[in-house]
Amino acid sequence: MMEGLPPAVSWPPLETLMRLTLALGVGLFVGLEREWRGKEAGLRTFGFASLLGAMGGLLGTPFAITAVALLGVLVGFLNWQSLRANEGAELTTSAALLVTGFTGVLCGLGHVVTPAAVAVTSAGLLTWKERLAGFSSKITAEELRSAILLAILAFAIYPVLPTAPVDPWGLIVPRVAWVTVILIAAMGFVNYVLLKLFGTRGVEVTGFLGGLVNSTVTVTELAHRVKETDGRLQDVAYRGVMLATAAMAMRNAALLGILSYRALVNSVVPLTLILLSSIGLALVRARKTPSSAAAVPSLPLESPFSLTSALKFGAMLLLFQVVGTVGQSLLGHAGFYAVSALGGLVSSASAVASAASLSSHGSLSPTTAGVGATIASLASAAVSFVVVARVAGQRALTVRLGWALGTVFVLGLAGAFVQTRIGGLFP
Protein backbone atom coordinates (compact mmCIF):
# COMPACT_ATOMS: atom_id res chain seq x y z
CA MET A 1 0.00 0.00 0.00
CA MET A 2 1.28 3.46 -0.88
CA GLU A 3 -1.05 5.55 1.28
CA GLY A 4 1.75 7.89 2.37
CA LEU A 5 2.78 8.75 -1.18
CA PRO A 6 1.25 11.96 -2.54
CA PRO A 7 -1.23 11.28 -5.36
CA ALA A 8 0.54 13.75 -7.60
CA VAL A 9 3.92 15.37 -7.27
CA SER A 10 4.83 18.35 -9.42
CA TRP A 11 8.57 18.41 -9.93
CA PRO A 12 9.92 20.90 -12.49
CA PRO A 13 12.34 18.75 -14.50
CA LEU A 14 15.25 21.20 -14.68
CA GLU A 15 15.10 22.26 -11.04
CA THR A 16 14.71 18.67 -9.86
CA LEU A 17 17.68 17.58 -11.96
CA MET A 18 19.80 20.37 -10.51
CA ARG A 19 18.93 19.33 -6.94
CA LEU A 20 19.72 15.67 -7.61
CA THR A 21 22.96 16.58 -9.38
CA LEU A 22 24.07 18.74 -6.47
CA ALA A 23 23.24 15.93 -4.04
CA LEU A 24 25.23 13.44 -6.11
CA GLY A 25 28.17 15.82 -6.33
CA VAL A 26 28.13 16.39 -2.59
CA GLY A 27 28.11 12.65 -1.89
CA LEU A 28 30.89 11.90 -4.36
CA PHE A 29 32.99 14.79 -3.04
CA VAL A 30 32.90 13.49 0.54
CA GLY A 31 33.13 9.84 -0.50
CA LEU A 32 36.27 10.47 -2.53
CA GLU A 33 38.36 10.78 0.62
CA ARG A 34 36.89 7.59 2.10
CA GLU A 35 37.58 5.75 -1.17
CA TRP A 36 41.17 7.03 -1.16
CA ARG A 37 41.68 5.66 2.35
CA GLY A 38 40.37 2.25 1.27
CA LYS A 39 37.23 2.30 3.39
CA GLU A 40 34.34 -0.06 2.73
CA ALA A 41 31.98 2.91 2.32
CA GLY A 42 33.46 4.95 -0.49
CA LEU A 43 32.43 6.91 -3.56
CA ARG A 44 29.32 4.93 -4.50
CA THR A 45 28.05 4.49 -0.94
CA PHE A 46 28.29 8.20 -0.17
CA GLY A 47 26.76 9.07 -3.54
CA PHE A 48 23.78 6.81 -2.89
CA ALA A 49 23.41 8.13 0.68
CA SER A 50 23.21 11.70 -0.54
CA LEU A 51 20.78 10.79 -3.32
CA LEU A 52 18.59 8.96 -0.80
CA GLY A 53 18.45 12.07 1.36
CA ALA A 54 17.66 14.23 -1.69
CA MET A 55 14.77 11.97 -2.67
CA GLY A 56 13.42 12.20 0.86
CA GLY A 57 13.69 15.98 0.78
CA LEU A 58 11.84 16.11 -2.55
CA LEU A 59 9.01 13.88 -1.34
CA GLY A 60 8.44 15.68 1.96
CA THR A 61 9.22 15.57 5.66
CA PRO A 62 7.97 12.00 6.40
CA PHE A 63 10.09 10.60 3.59
CA ALA A 64 13.12 12.66 4.63
CA ILE A 65 12.88 11.18 8.13
CA THR A 66 12.52 7.69 6.63
CA ALA A 67 15.61 8.26 4.45
CA VAL A 68 17.72 9.28 7.44
CA ALA A 69 16.41 6.31 9.43
CA LEU A 70 17.42 3.95 6.59
CA LEU A 71 20.88 5.50 6.67
CA GLY A 72 20.99 4.71 10.37
CA VAL A 73 20.30 1.07 9.57
CA LEU A 74 23.07 1.16 6.96
CA VAL A 75 25.48 2.63 9.50
CA GLY A 76 24.59 -0.07 12.00
CA PHE A 77 25.21 -2.80 9.41
CA LEU A 78 28.53 -1.18 8.42
CA ASN A 79 29.79 -1.17 12.00
CA TRP A 80 28.57 -4.72 12.65
CA GLN A 81 30.49 -5.94 9.62
CA SER A 82 33.61 -4.02 10.68
CA LEU A 83 33.47 -5.42 14.21
CA ARG A 84 33.07 -8.96 12.86
CA ALA A 85 36.28 -8.45 10.87
CA ASN A 86 38.06 -7.26 14.04
CA GLU A 87 38.73 -3.85 12.46
CA GLY A 88 37.01 -1.74 15.10
CA ALA A 89 33.97 0.50 14.78
CA GLU A 90 33.81 2.86 11.78
CA LEU A 91 32.73 5.86 13.84
CA THR A 92 34.19 8.55 11.58
CA THR A 93 32.79 7.00 8.40
CA SER A 94 29.42 6.52 10.10
CA ALA A 95 29.28 10.15 11.17
CA ALA A 96 30.28 11.28 7.67
CA LEU A 97 27.55 9.10 6.12
CA LEU A 98 24.86 10.56 8.37
CA VAL A 99 26.02 14.12 7.69
CA THR A 100 26.05 13.39 3.95
CA GLY A 101 22.53 12.01 4.17
CA PHE A 102 21.28 15.15 5.92
CA THR A 103 23.13 17.23 3.33
CA GLY A 104 21.27 15.35 0.60
CA VAL A 105 18.00 16.24 2.30
CA LEU A 106 18.98 19.91 2.15
CA CYS A 107 19.71 19.53 -1.56
CA GLY A 108 16.28 17.97 -2.07
CA LEU A 109 14.66 20.90 -0.25
CA GLY A 110 16.34 23.34 -2.64
CA HIS A 111 19.28 24.58 -0.56
CA VAL A 112 22.51 25.23 -2.44
CA VAL A 113 25.11 27.10 -0.40
CA THR A 114 24.62 25.20 2.86
CA PRO A 115 25.05 21.68 1.36
CA ALA A 116 28.15 22.78 -0.53
CA ALA A 117 29.65 24.34 2.61
CA VAL A 118 28.89 21.23 4.67
CA ALA A 119 30.44 18.97 2.02
CA VAL A 120 33.65 21.01 1.87
CA THR A 121 33.89 21.12 5.65
CA SER A 122 33.25 17.39 5.97
CA ALA A 123 35.88 16.55 3.37
CA GLY A 124 38.33 18.82 5.12
CA LEU A 125 37.76 17.16 8.49
CA LEU A 126 38.29 13.74 6.93
CA THR A 127 41.38 14.77 4.96
CA TRP A 128 43.10 16.61 7.82
CA LYS A 129 42.89 13.63 10.17
CA GLU A 130 46.63 13.41 10.80
CA ARG A 131 47.09 17.16 11.21
CA LEU A 132 44.16 17.53 13.56
CA ALA A 133 45.32 14.56 15.62
CA GLY A 134 48.86 15.95 15.76
CA PHE A 135 47.58 19.39 16.73
CA SER A 136 45.36 18.06 19.51
CA SER A 137 48.13 15.87 20.90
CA LYS A 138 50.43 18.90 21.23
CA ILE A 139 47.92 21.04 23.13
CA THR A 140 48.76 21.38 26.79
CA ALA A 141 46.23 21.47 29.61
CA GLU A 142 47.00 25.16 30.21
CA GLU A 143 46.38 26.00 26.54
CA LEU A 144 43.08 24.16 26.56
CA ARG A 145 41.97 25.94 29.74
CA SER A 146 42.96 29.29 28.26
CA ALA A 147 40.97 28.64 25.08
CA ILE A 148 37.90 27.71 27.12
CA LEU A 149 38.35 30.76 29.36
CA LEU A 150 38.60 33.05 26.32
CA ALA A 151 35.39 31.55 24.94
CA ILE A 152 33.67 32.15 28.30
CA LEU A 153 34.80 35.79 28.30
CA ALA A 154 33.54 36.39 24.77
CA PHE A 155 30.42 34.24 24.48
CA ALA A 156 29.15 33.71 28.03
CA ILE A 157 29.91 36.91 29.96
CA TYR A 158 29.88 39.58 27.24
CA PRO A 159 26.30 38.99 25.94
CA VAL A 160 24.74 39.32 29.41
CA LEU A 161 26.47 42.58 30.36
CA PRO A 162 24.31 45.74 30.30
CA THR A 163 24.56 47.81 27.13
CA ALA A 164 23.39 50.97 28.88
CA PRO A 165 25.19 52.92 31.62
CA VAL A 166 24.73 51.47 35.10
CA ASP A 167 25.34 54.69 37.03
CA PRO A 168 23.09 57.78 37.27
CA TRP A 169 25.62 59.95 35.42
CA GLY A 170 25.91 57.66 32.39
CA LEU A 171 29.66 57.18 32.76
CA ILE A 172 30.09 53.42 33.27
CA VAL A 173 29.08 51.07 30.47
CA PRO A 174 30.15 47.52 31.45
CA ARG A 175 29.94 46.02 27.97
CA VAL A 176 32.22 48.69 26.49
CA ALA A 177 34.86 48.06 29.15
CA TRP A 178 34.55 44.29 28.76
CA VAL A 179 35.32 44.55 25.05
CA THR A 180 38.82 45.68 26.00
CA VAL A 181 39.22 42.75 28.38
CA ILE A 182 38.29 40.36 25.56
CA LEU A 183 40.57 42.19 23.16
CA ILE A 184 43.58 41.96 25.46
CA ALA A 185 42.99 38.26 26.10
CA ALA A 186 42.49 37.54 22.40
CA MET A 187 45.63 39.46 21.43
CA GLY A 188 47.63 37.47 23.96
CA PHE A 189 46.22 34.22 22.61
CA VAL A 190 46.98 35.16 18.99
CA ASN A 191 50.52 36.19 19.89
CA TYR A 192 51.02 32.90 21.72
CA VAL A 193 49.80 30.84 18.76
CA LEU A 194 51.88 32.79 16.23
CA LEU A 195 54.98 32.46 18.40
CA LYS A 196 54.54 28.70 18.55
CA LEU A 197 53.83 28.36 14.83
CA PHE A 198 56.16 30.90 13.23
CA GLY A 199 58.64 31.90 15.92
CA THR A 200 59.59 35.55 16.17
CA ARG A 201 58.29 36.36 12.67
CA GLY A 202 54.77 36.06 14.03
CA VAL A 203 55.39 38.84 16.58
CA GLU A 204 56.02 41.45 13.91
CA VAL A 205 52.90 40.46 11.98
CA THR A 206 50.87 40.62 15.17
CA GLY A 207 52.40 43.98 16.00
CA PHE A 208 51.05 45.56 12.84
CA LEU A 209 47.68 43.80 12.80
CA GLY A 210 47.22 44.39 16.52
CA GLY A 211 48.01 48.07 16.07
CA LEU A 212 45.06 48.33 13.72
CA VAL A 213 42.82 47.29 16.63
CA ASN A 214 44.50 48.71 19.74
CA SER A 215 48.19 49.61 19.71
CA THR A 216 48.40 49.94 23.51
CA VAL A 217 47.02 46.45 24.00
CA THR A 218 49.48 45.11 21.43
CA VAL A 219 52.48 46.85 22.98
CA THR A 220 51.48 45.61 26.43
CA GLU A 221 51.39 42.05 25.17
CA LEU A 222 54.75 42.42 23.39
CA ALA A 223 56.32 43.83 26.55
CA HIS A 224 55.04 40.86 28.55
CA ARG A 225 56.59 38.47 26.02
CA VAL A 226 59.95 40.26 26.28
CA LYS A 227 59.88 39.91 30.05
CA GLU A 228 58.76 36.29 29.84
CA THR A 229 61.68 35.38 27.56
CA ASP A 230 64.29 37.31 29.59
CA GLY A 231 64.87 39.85 26.84
CA ARG A 232 65.44 37.41 24.00
CA LEU A 233 62.63 38.98 21.98
CA GLN A 234 63.95 42.55 22.20
CA ASP A 235 64.69 43.00 18.49
CA VAL A 236 61.41 41.68 17.17
CA ALA A 237 59.46 43.36 19.97
CA TYR A 238 61.05 46.67 18.99
CA ARG A 239 59.95 46.24 15.39
CA GLY A 240 56.54 45.06 16.55
CA VAL A 241 56.05 48.20 18.65
CA MET A 242 57.09 50.49 15.80
CA LEU A 243 54.83 48.68 13.34
CA ALA A 244 51.98 48.86 15.85
CA THR A 245 52.53 52.63 16.06
CA ALA A 246 52.42 52.90 12.27
CA ALA A 247 49.25 50.83 12.13
CA MET A 248 47.70 53.02 14.83
CA ALA A 249 48.32 56.16 12.75
CA MET A 250 46.91 54.45 9.64
CA ARG A 251 43.80 53.32 11.52
CA ASN A 252 43.20 56.77 13.03
CA ALA A 253 43.51 58.39 9.62
CA ALA A 254 41.01 55.90 8.22
CA LEU A 255 38.58 56.66 11.07
CA LEU A 256 38.83 60.38 10.37
CA GLY A 257 38.34 59.82 6.66
CA ILE A 258 35.23 57.74 7.23
CA LEU A 259 33.61 59.91 9.89
CA SER A 260 34.83 63.38 8.95
CA TYR A 261 36.82 64.02 5.79
CA ARG A 262 37.36 67.62 6.81
CA ALA A 263 39.03 66.57 10.07
CA LEU A 264 41.29 64.20 8.13
CA VAL A 265 42.40 67.01 5.83
CA ASN A 266 43.30 69.09 8.88
CA SER A 267 45.48 66.34 10.36
CA VAL A 268 46.98 64.72 7.27
CA VAL A 269 50.48 66.20 7.75
CA PRO A 270 51.17 65.01 11.34
CA LEU A 271 49.50 61.62 10.86
CA THR A 272 51.49 61.02 7.68
CA LEU A 273 54.73 61.91 9.47
CA ILE A 274 53.88 59.53 12.34
CA LEU A 275 53.11 56.74 9.89
CA LEU A 276 56.17 57.13 7.68
CA SER A 277 58.65 57.70 10.51
CA SER A 278 57.42 54.63 12.41
CA ILE A 279 57.72 52.39 9.35
CA GLY A 280 61.08 53.89 8.43
CA LEU A 281 62.58 53.36 11.86
CA ALA A 282 61.30 49.79 11.98
CA LEU A 283 62.83 49.02 8.57
CA VAL A 284 66.15 50.68 9.36
CA ARG A 285 66.50 48.67 12.55
CA ALA A 286 65.49 45.53 10.69
CA ARG A 287 68.40 45.97 8.27
CA LYS A 288 70.98 46.76 10.92
CA THR A 289 69.90 44.10 13.41
CA PRO A 290 70.13 40.46 12.37
CA SER A 291 67.05 38.37 12.91
CA SER A 292 66.87 36.94 16.36
CA ALA A 293 64.75 33.97 15.33
CA ALA A 294 67.76 31.66 15.43
CA ALA A 295 68.75 33.01 18.83
CA VAL A 296 65.50 31.85 20.38
CA PRO A 297 65.61 28.04 20.25
CA SER A 298 62.65 27.64 22.57
CA LEU A 299 60.31 30.09 24.19
CA PRO A 300 59.21 29.32 27.75
CA LEU A 301 55.66 30.53 27.24
CA GLU A 302 53.65 29.46 30.25
CA SER A 303 50.20 30.71 29.31
CA PRO A 304 48.50 32.04 26.16
CA PHE A 305 47.32 35.13 28.03
CA SER A 306 47.09 36.67 31.46
CA LEU A 307 43.52 37.21 32.67
CA THR A 308 44.80 39.37 35.52
CA SER A 309 46.50 41.76 33.08
CA ALA A 310 43.38 41.88 30.94
CA LEU A 311 41.16 42.75 33.92
CA LYS A 312 43.58 45.43 35.12
CA PHE A 313 43.67 46.99 31.68
CA GLY A 314 39.87 46.93 31.51
CA ALA A 315 39.72 48.75 34.84
CA MET A 316 42.16 51.37 33.53
CA LEU A 317 40.01 51.90 30.45
CA LEU A 318 36.91 52.37 32.62
CA LEU A 319 38.74 54.90 34.79
CA PHE A 320 39.90 56.96 31.81
CA GLN A 321 36.42 56.87 30.27
CA VAL A 322 34.95 58.34 33.44
CA VAL A 323 37.69 60.97 33.81
CA GLY A 324 37.50 61.93 30.16
CA THR A 325 33.72 62.30 30.16
CA VAL A 326 33.76 64.40 33.32
CA GLY A 327 36.56 66.60 31.98
CA GLN A 328 34.75 67.25 28.73
CA SER A 329 31.52 68.07 30.56
CA LEU A 330 33.21 70.52 32.96
CA LEU A 331 35.63 72.24 30.57
CA GLY A 332 33.72 72.10 27.31
CA HIS A 333 35.75 72.66 24.13
CA ALA A 334 38.64 74.03 26.22
CA GLY A 335 39.12 70.59 27.74
CA PHE A 336 38.83 68.71 24.47
CA TYR A 337 42.59 68.41 23.97
CA ALA A 338 43.02 67.10 27.51
CA VAL A 339 40.30 64.55 26.91
CA SER A 340 41.98 63.52 23.64
CA ALA A 341 45.27 63.00 25.43
CA LEU A 342 43.59 60.90 28.12
CA GLY A 343 41.80 58.85 25.50
CA GLY A 344 45.05 58.25 23.64
CA LEU A 345 46.59 56.77 26.78
CA VAL A 346 44.27 53.77 26.51
CA SER A 347 42.68 53.77 23.05
CA SER A 348 43.36 56.54 20.59
CA ALA A 349 40.69 55.07 18.29
CA SER A 350 37.91 56.07 20.68
CA ALA A 351 39.29 59.59 21.05
CA VAL A 352 39.73 60.00 17.30
CA ALA A 353 36.25 58.64 16.58
CA SER A 354 34.81 61.04 19.14
CA ALA A 355 36.61 64.01 17.58
CA ALA A 356 35.49 63.05 14.08
CA SER A 357 31.90 62.57 15.21
CA LEU A 358 31.81 65.97 16.93
CA SER A 359 33.27 67.57 13.83
CA SER A 360 30.82 65.90 11.46
CA HIS A 361 27.88 67.13 13.57
CA GLY A 362 29.22 70.69 13.69
CA SER A 363 29.94 70.65 17.43
CA LEU A 364 33.67 71.00 16.81
CA SER A 365 35.66 72.69 14.09
CA PRO A 366 37.59 70.39 11.71
CA THR A 367 40.84 72.08 12.74
CA THR A 368 40.26 71.39 16.44
CA ALA A 369 39.18 67.83 15.67
CA GLY A 370 42.30 67.26 13.57
CA VAL A 371 44.58 68.55 16.32
CA GLY A 372 42.75 66.43 18.88
CA ALA A 373 43.24 63.34 16.73
CA THR A 374 46.94 64.12 16.46
CA ILE A 375 47.23 64.56 20.24
CA ALA A 376 45.47 61.24 20.83
CA SER A 377 47.82 59.49 18.39
CA LEU A 378 50.92 61.00 20.00
CA ALA A 379 49.63 60.12 23.47
CA SER A 380 49.21 56.52 22.31
CA ALA A 381 52.81 56.47 21.07
CA ALA A 382 54.03 57.97 24.35
CA VAL A 383 52.20 55.46 26.49
CA SER A 384 53.76 52.66 24.43
CA PHE A 385 57.16 53.77 25.68
CA VAL A 386 55.94 53.88 29.29
CA VAL A 387 54.39 50.41 29.03
CA VAL A 388 57.57 48.85 27.61
CA ALA A 389 59.77 50.60 30.17
CA ARG A 390 57.68 49.34 33.10
CA VAL A 391 56.66 45.89 31.89
CA ALA A 392 59.56 44.57 29.80
CA GLY A 393 62.26 45.51 32.30
CA GLN A 394 64.98 45.69 29.61
CA ARG A 395 67.04 48.87 29.65
CA ALA A 396 68.46 48.36 26.15
CA LEU A 397 64.99 48.02 24.64
CA THR A 398 63.73 51.00 26.62
CA VAL A 399 66.55 53.21 25.31
CA ARG A 400 66.03 52.10 21.69
CA LEU A 401 62.32 52.73 21.85
CA GLY A 402 62.88 56.01 23.66
CA TRP A 403 64.92 57.36 20.77
CA ALA A 404 62.62 55.93 18.11
CA LEU A 405 59.29 56.96 19.66
CA GLY A 406 60.81 60.29 20.69
CA THR A 407 61.63 60.94 17.05
CA VAL A 408 58.09 59.99 16.04
CA PHE A 409 56.69 62.27 18.76
CA VAL A 410 58.79 65.26 17.68
CA LEU A 411 57.91 64.77 14.01
CA GLY A 412 54.22 64.50 14.90
CA LEU A 413 54.35 67.74 16.88
CA ALA A 414 56.22 69.44 14.04
CA GLY A 415 53.61 68.21 11.60
CA ALA A 416 50.81 69.53 13.80
CA PHE A 417 52.56 72.92 14.00
CA VAL A 418 52.97 73.05 10.23
CA GLN A 419 49.37 71.97 9.73
CA THR A 420 48.03 74.77 11.92
CA ARG A 421 50.37 77.28 10.28
CA ILE A 422 49.42 76.47 6.71
CA GLY A 423 45.77 76.29 7.81
CA GLY A 424 43.32 73.54 6.96
CA LEU A 425 41.19 73.55 3.84
CA PHE A 426 38.22 73.49 6.18
CA PRO A 427 38.95 75.79 9.15
Side-chain angles (χ1 to χ4, degrees), residues 251-267 271 328 333 336-337 339-340 347-377 426:
R251 178 206 61 207
N252 290 349
L255 284 173
L256 287 175
I258 294 172
L259 299 175
S260 175
Y261 175 73
R262 295 185 173 191
L264 173 62
V265 171
N266 284 275
S267 62
L271 289 180
Q328 189 170 4
H333 296 309
F336 174 73
Y337 293 150
V339 173
S340 297
S347 174
S348 60
S350 59
V352 170
S354 175
S357 179
L358 290 173
S359 175
S360 63
H361 288 90
S363 302
L364 200 67
S365 69
T367 301
T368 304
V371 174
T374 303
I375 292 175
S377 301
F426 305 100

Side-chain angles (χ1 to χ4, degrees), residues 6 12 15 19 41-42 49 88 125 141 150 159-160 210 247 306 311 326 345 348 355 367 424:
E15 183 179 348
R19 294 184 184 186
L125 289 174
L150 181 59
V160 301
S306 172
L311 292 175
V326 172
L345 294 177
S348 60
T367 301

Side-chain angles (χ1 to χ4, degrees), residues 72-99:
V73 174
L74 177 63
V75 166
F77 178 76
L78 175 67
N79 283 277
W80 176 72
Q81 186 181 36
S82 179
L83 290 172
R84 282 192 60 189
N86 295 321
E87 295 179 357
E90 293 284 349
L91 296 180
T92 302
T93 302
S94 301
L97 263 176
L98 291 175
V99 170

Side-chain angles (χ1 to χ4, degrees), residues 124-175:
L125 289 174
L126 293 171
T127 305
W128 298 328
K129 172 186 175 182
E130 291 79 11
R131 292 188 179 183
L132 290 174
F135 174 77
S136 60
S137 64
K138 294 178 182 177
I139 295 178
T140 65
E142 181 63 30
E143 293 168 351
L144 183 59
R145 284 193 294 266
S146 296
I148 295 174
L149 178 58
L150 181 59
I152 292 174
L153 295 178
F155 302 110
I157 299 178
Y158 174 77
V160 301
L161 291 176
T163 57
V166 295
D167 61 299
W169 305 276
L171 300 177
I172 301 176
V173 184
R175 183 172 288 195

